[in-house]
Amino acid sequence: MKYRKRNGKDTWHFCTNCQNWPTSDYDEREGKPTYGEFCNECLSKDANGTCTKKY
């Protein structure tokens, strides 16, 4: 799975349908990041089954 965060920020996103999914000026990683925090909206979408993920 791919994770993105805006450059200079510590919040990682993993749902491409998150309203804050970075589309420019971002860092992208394969696999779960080992630092920072995860976006609350992404976590909520994942928990209720509405998260669209980028593989």
Side-chain angles (χ1 to χ4, degrees):
M1 180 169 23
K2 298 199 183 206
Y3 293 80
R4 287 185 182 180
K5 72 174 188 66
R6 294 189 197 294
N7 286 327
K9 304 291 181 182
D10 291 326
T11 303
W12 290 95
H13 302 270
F14 54 91
C15 296
T16 59
N17 60 333
C18 174
Q19 67 180 0
N20 295 308
W21 176 255
T23 57
S24 63
D25 193 34
Y26 61 84
D27 180 21
E28 184 172 85
R29 302 275 168 109
E30 282 281 342
K32 192 173 184 177
T34 57
Y35 66 94
E37 54 191 59
F38 294 102
C39 167
N40 287 331
E41 182 180 341
C42 290
L43 292 170
S44 177
K45 286 180 180 296
D46 192 45
N48 69 27
T50 61
C51 177
T52 304
K53 298 177 182 176
K54 182 177 182 181
Y55 296 94

